[in-house]
Structures are given as C-alpha cells and as structure tokens.
Amino acid sequence: MPLRLQNIRKKYGKFELAIDEHTFMDKSYNVVLGPSGSGKTTTLRIIAGLEFPDSGRILLDDEDITDLPPFKRNIGLVFQNYALYPHLTAYENIAVPLKIKKMSKEEIDKRIKRVAEILGIAGELEKYPSQLSGGQQQRVAIARALVKEPRILLLDEPLSNLDARIRIEVRGFLKELQRELEMTVIHVTHDQEEAMSIADNIVLLNAGKIVQSGSPFEIYRKPKDIFVFNFIGYSNLLPAKLLGINNADSVGFRPEDARLSNNEGILKGKVKRLQYLGSYKLIEIEIDEGRLVLVRVKPDEDWKEGDIVHIDVPISSLILFKDGVATQG
Ligand code: ADP
Ligand code: MG
C-alpha cells in the first residue's frame, strides 16, 4: 500500500513539521532518518492517527484516512520502549489488540501461534516481559503490532534499546520479516548507519522538513546539500579555493575516494593520526591552517605520523556546493 502525505503541517511552539509531498514506497523498507527533534516521531504519530495534522491529507492506497481514528486505520505501531504490559504474559500482550476487536478465542489463538512462529518466540509465550531479553521483548511488541495484520508497520527507533551486537542481528531479522511478509514498513531512526544498512528508501528529515529522499546509494553519493553530505558517513568539506576551484564555494569528498602518495595530488599535508581498523586504516592529515582531512587507505599502506603526504581525489568524486546546495546531478 503506498502511503502518501500531502501538505502536512503540524506546529508545536517554534517547531513546525512541514511535509509538502511524500509517498512511502509500497511493500518496501522505508526509513525516516534525522537528528533528534527533527520531527520523526511526530510524522509516525500522524500516520498512526495518534496526532492529527493542523492541515494536509494522508492517503493510504488512495483512501483518505486523515480523519480516521487510529483503530480504524489498521496500522501497526511499535514504540521505542516496546510498551508491553508487565503484568501480562507475552501471549496475553499479543492478544490485547484482538480482544479489543472482540475476536473469538479460537481465532485469537490461531493468529497468535502463527505470528509467534514467524517471529521465533513460540517458546516464550507463557513468560512475562521481565523474564524475556530485550530482543525477545521487542519481538513480542512486533508480534502485537503484526497480529492485527496491519496494512503498514511503523517502527519508532526499534533498535535503540538493544546492545550493539544484538542490534545488528535484529536489524537483519526486521529486513527479512519485511521481505517475507511483503509488508510496507516505515522505520524511524537517528542512526545513519542503521538507515543505510536496512533501507530500500531513506527520507532524511531536518528541522521538520524533508531534505532528501532516495536509495541509500543516492543519499550517500548524490547528497543534495551540505547537511545531507555531513549527516551521512564520513565526509571532508573544504573551501573550494583551496582546491583551485572557482565555480563553487565549498567542495566535499569521501575518505575512501582519496589516494595518498609522496609526490602528486591536489592537496598536501602532514599525517596527524592513524587508526587501524582491521580491514582499513583511517588517516587524519593536517593541511593548511590546521584543517583536517580524513583519508581511508588499505591496511597495508605504511604511512607514519609526521609524514608529509600528497592527497589526490579524482574530479568525478568531488561534490561541489554553492550556498550549501550541491551544484551537479
Ligand atoms: P524526533 O522524533 O525526530 O526526535 P519529535 O517528532 O519527537 O522529534 O519532536 C519534534 C519537535 O516537536 C520537538 O521539538 C519536540 O519537542 C516537539 N514536540 C513533539 N511532540 C510534542 C507535543 N506533544 N507537545 C509539544 N511539543 C512536541
Ligand atoms: Mg523520536
């Protein structure tokens, strides 16, 4: 189901969410990415019907759902803190939305067993939330959202309460689940690496506005402006005149696009610091006026602190900015 937002406005004091037009892709993994306070949760709550926009329309598969209450939208929502009832077992937690719908005991049981099987928690259904790991609690929360067979699944920072290793595992699991069930997922996060690794499509929000939308590759390789360029991945941003470029005011490039040598390059500097990261090295190089440039090299390249090096970057890897906005593509 494609979900369309049209001319959405929602004001909270100085903050205003303002989305002119966006379509979340059907049967795909959509990520809403942005810094804290950029309006991600507000966007999800408006889609779920927990908040109403001051103006604008929400269309689900061409049906106008703007004025529908949450329970009539059939959209599943999983909060950051899972919000499980502590005094109910996993089974009873998952049953809550079906009981509200006055479904028969048999149908409830059938649905819960099916969804628990899919999520790999069939053996945990009699346990209370306090007896489950963070990852299992999260699966119960997802099961509770999925058991209604929602048209869209909304996830608000679903991985932020898990520790680093489990986070990567659950990330893979969420993507698989989306593929298997051919669902439309909208996943909110402030973590650019998480967004890049899981999304089919990323919507980047800043201060209540969409700054760019596209595949992870497009966002990384063709950032629309300096905010996007700096927000995603490692970045180098320099005044254009340092590189002898006149038709822009600043120039960006990624650390992996630069090469180091002893004699040729567009920049020259001194190796300040090296970080060995197993499959690559990150080298900080001090150029003019104490500016630092980050270059990524193969682990066997043997540069040392204090070395004078030349940095070369192919012209095709340079991103030019004028008044903060990318000038090409
Ligand atoms: P994010 O999820 O990206 O961190 P939010 O959507 O939660 O951002 O919040 C965006 C802005 O709106 C923030 O400045 C926040 O303080 C404000 N805000 C969100 N919800 C409310 C509310 N119910 N009442 C007042 N201000 C709110
Ligand atoms: Mg939030």
Coordinates of all heavy atoms in Angstrom, one line a residue, residues 12-13 15 34-43 45 51 156-157 188 205, ligand 1:
Y12 N 4.2 22.8 16.9 CA 4.4 22.7 18.4 C 5.3 23.9 18.7 O 6.5 23.8 18.6 CB 5.1 21.5 18.8 CG 4.3 20.2 18.6 CD1 4.8 19.1 17.9 CD2 3.1 20.0 19.3 CE1 4.1 18.0 17.8 CE2 2.4 18.8 19.2 CZ 2.9 17.8 18.4 OH 2.2 16.6 18.3
G13 N 4.7 25.0 19.2 CA 5.6 26.2 19.5 C 6.4 26.6 18.3 O 5.9 26.9 17.3
F15 N 8.5 24.7 16.7 CA 8.8 23.7 15.8 C 7.6 23.5 14.8 O 6.4 23.5 15.3 CB 9.0 22.3 16.5 CG 9.1 21.2 15.6 CD1 10.3 20.8 15.0 CD2 8.0 20.4 15.3 CE1 10.4 19.8 14.2 CE2 8.1 19.3 14.5 CZ 9.3 19.0 13.9
G34 N 16.9 11.2 10.7 CA 17.1 12.6 11.0 C 17.6 12.8 12.4 O 17.4 11.9 13.2
P35 N 18.2 13.9 12.7 CA 18.7 14.2 14.1 C 17.5 14.2 15.1 O 16.3 14.4 14.7 CB 19.4 15.5 14.0 CG 19.0 16.1 12.7 CD 18.5 15.0 11.8
S36 N 17.9 14.2 16.3 CA 16.9 14.3 17.4 C 16.1 15.6 17.3 O 16.7 16.7 17.0 CB 17.6 14.2 18.7 OG 16.7 14.4 19.8
G37 N 14.8 15.6 17.4 CA 14.0 16.8 17.3 C 13.6 17.2 15.9 O 13.1 18.3 15.7
S38 N 13.9 16.4 14.9 CA 13.7 16.8 13.5 C 12.2 16.5 13.1 O 11.8 16.9 12.0 CB 14.6 16.1 12.6 OG 14.6 14.7 12.7
G39 N 11.5 15.8 13.9 CA 10.1 15.5 13.6 C 9.7 14.1 13.2 O 8.6 13.9 12.7
K40 N 10.6 13.2 13.5 CA 10.4 11.8 13.0 C 9.2 11.1 13.8 O 8.3 10.6 13.1 CB 11.7 11.0 13.3 CG 12.9 11.5 12.6 CD 14.1 10.6 12.9 CE 14.5 10.5 14.3 NZ 15.0 11.8 15.0
T41 N 9.2 11.2 15.1 CA 8.1 10.6 15.9 C 6.8 11.3 15.6 O 5.8 10.6 15.4 CB 8.5 10.7 17.4 OG1 9.6 9.9 17.6 CG2 7.3 10.1 18.2
T42 N 6.8 12.6 15.4 CA 5.6 13.3 15.1 C 5.0 12.8 13.8 O 3.8 12.6 13.6 CB 5.9 14.9 15.0 OG1 6.4 15.3 16.2 CG2 4.6 15.6 14.7
T43 N 5.9 12.6 12.8 CA 5.5 12.1 11.5 C 4.8 10.7 11.7 O 3.7 10.5 11.1 CB 6.7 11.9 10.5 OG1 7.3 13.2 10.4 CG2 6.2 11.5 9.2
R45 N 3.4 9.4 14.4 CA 2.2 9.5 15.2 C 1.1 10.1 14.3 O -0.1 9.7 14.5 CB 2.4 10.4 16.4 CG 3.3 9.7 17.5 CD 3.7 10.6 18.7 NE 2.5 11.0 19.4 CZ 1.9 10.2 20.3 NH1 2.4 9.1 20.6 NH2 0.8 10.7 20.9
E51 N -1.9 11.6 16.5 CA -1.9 13.0 16.4 C -2.6 13.4 15.1 O -2.5 12.6 14.1 CB -0.5 13.6 16.3 CG 0.4 13.4 17.4 CD 0.1 14.1 18.7 OE1 -0.8 15.0 18.6 OE2 0.6 13.8 19.7
D156 N 9.3 2.9 15.7 CA 9.9 4.1 16.1 C 11.2 3.7 16.9 O 11.1 3.2 18.0 CB 9.0 4.9 17.0 CG 9.5 6.3 17.3 OD1 10.6 6.6 16.8 OD2 8.8 7.1 17.9
E157 N 12.3 4.0 16.4 CA 13.6 3.7 17.0 C 13.6 2.3 17.6 O 13.9 2.1 18.8 CB 14.0 4.7 18.1 CG 13.9 6.2 17.6 CD 15.2 6.8 17.2 OE1 16.3 6.0 17.2 OE2 15.3 8.0 16.8
V188 N 11.7 4.5 11.9 CA 12.3 5.8 12.2 C 13.6 5.6 13.0 O 13.6 4.7 13.9 CB 11.3 6.6 13.1 CG1 12.0 7.6 14.0 CG2 10.2 7.2 12.2
L205 N 15.0 13.8 7.3 CA 14.3 15.0 7.8 C 15.3 15.9 8.6 O 16.2 15.4 9.2 CB 13.3 14.5 8.9 CG 11.9 14.1 8.5 CD1 11.1 13.9 9.8 CD2 11.2 15.2 7.7
Ligands
ADP1 P1 12.2 13.3 16.8 O1 11.4 12.0 16.9 O2 12.8 13.4 15.4 O3 13.3 13.3 17.8 P2 9.8 14.7 17.5 O4 8.8 14.4 16.4 O5 9.6 13.8 18.8 O6 11.3 14.5 17.0 O7 9.7 16.2 18.0 C1 9.9 17.3 17.1 C2 9.7 18.6 17.9 O8 8.3 18.7 18.3 C3 10.5 18.7 19.1 O9 10.9 20.0 19.2 C4 9.5 18.3 20.2 O10 9.9 18.9 21.4 C5 8.2 18.8 19.7 N1 7.0 18.0 20.1 C6 6.8 16.8 19.8 N2 5.6 16.3 20.4 C7 5.2 17.4 21.1 C8 4.0 17.6 21.9 N3 3.1 16.6 22.1 N4 3.9 18.8 22.5 C9 4.7 19.8 22.3 N5 5.8 19.6 21.6 C10 6.1 18.5 21.0

